Amino acid sequence: MAGRTSAGRTRSSAIYKRLRAAILTGALAPGDALPSERRLSEEHDVSRHAVREALKRLQQAGLVSISQGGATRVRDWRRHGGLDLLLALAR
């Protein structure tokens, strides 16, 4: 991950973990729209790049669907969760 600082990865990981927990506990339900990148970056006091990285990780895990110019929506993790998510839950 050339060019990325450990602080950037830490911030991105923190956002990822918070949003993942909200999805897995049902605080964010399938079909719910996540706040915009701008709003998430303001709420967490991080760059939009860190938010974008966290959202990409959520997408790779099957937890959200991202549409350019549209809302990022929560997916049903029980149906769409990837192998990485299942391994994380098993731990």
Side-chain angles (χ1 to χ4, degrees), residues 6-48:
S6 61
R9 283 192 300 270
T10 301
R11 290 181 185 120
S12 174
S13 291
I15 295 165
Y16 166 78
K17 288 175 184 175
R18 285 184 201 142
L19 291 173
R20 183 180 76 169
I23 293 168
L24 295 177
T25 62
L28 290 170
D32 284 354
L34 295 182
S36 68
E37 285 182 7
R38 178 182 295 160
R39 185 165 169 210
L40 286 170
S41 67
E42 290 169 356
E43 287 176 3
H44 298 281
D45 194 29
V46 298
S47 70
R48 287 180 69 179

